[in-house]
């Protein structure tokens, strides 16, 4: 059940578009609160609140570097969410493959067109 709680916390953190944008920014490099706040019409304290949510979810970490406190993406924390979503990706892939097979059986290739069933 601990993994369920971590998954709930991660998805809750990811539900906000500002937090997703912050994670996208951090995927390229570390950044300070001021750097992360630049593109948003939000105050630094508002960005800090978003960062605390991401930190509690384990999606980012912050460290001290002299006067700076850069934030860093912890991509491994997304593993649980990725694995959970992967089960649904497999479901939809298999469903579409079954649909392609059914459509091919219902509408065989037109011999004059030289096509094959299921081609797009």
């Amino acid at each position: 059940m601990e993994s369920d709680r971590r998954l709930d916390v991660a998805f809750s953190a990811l539900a906000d578009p500002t937090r997703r944008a912050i994670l996208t920014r951090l995927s390229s490099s570390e950044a300070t609160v001021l750097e992360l706040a630049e593109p948003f019409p939000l105050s630094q304290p508002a960005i800090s609140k978003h960062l605390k949510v991401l930190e509690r979810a384990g999606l980012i970490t912050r460290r001290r570097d002299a006067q700076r406190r850069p934030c860093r993406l912890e991509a491994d924390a997304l593993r649980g969410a990725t694995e959970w979503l992967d089960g649904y990706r497999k479901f939809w892939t298999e469903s579409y493959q079954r649909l392609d097979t059914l459509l091919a059986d219902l509408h065989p290739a037109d011999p004059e067109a030289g096509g094959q069933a299921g081609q797009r």
Side-chain angles (χ1 to χ4, degrees), residues 4-78:
D4 286 344
R5 191 186 85 61
R6 280 183 291 183
L7 194 58
D8 291 345
V9 171
F11 278 123
S12 179
L14 294 170
D16 185 275
T18 299
R19 291 193 286 267
R20 290 193 307 272
I22 289 170
L23 290 178
T24 299
R25 165 58 181 84
L26 290 174
S27 69
S28 63
S29 66
E30 292 183 347
T32 65
V33 176
L34 287 175
E35 292 166 336
L36 292 170
E38 282 177 19
F40 300 104
L42 301 171
S43 66
Q44 183 180 343
I47 292 295
S48 291
K49 287 181 183 181
H50 283 294
L51 294 175
K52 285 178 186 174
V53 171
L54 292 169
E55 197 170 22
R56 276 193 304 267
L59 299 171
I60 67 165
T61 55
R62 294 194 250 189
R63 64 180 178 82
R64 279 227 184 266
D65 181 16
Q67 297 297 321
R68 300 179 58 218
R69 288 204 60 204
C71 300
R72 168 188 218 158
L73 175 67
E74 293 297 331
D76 198 47
L78 292 170

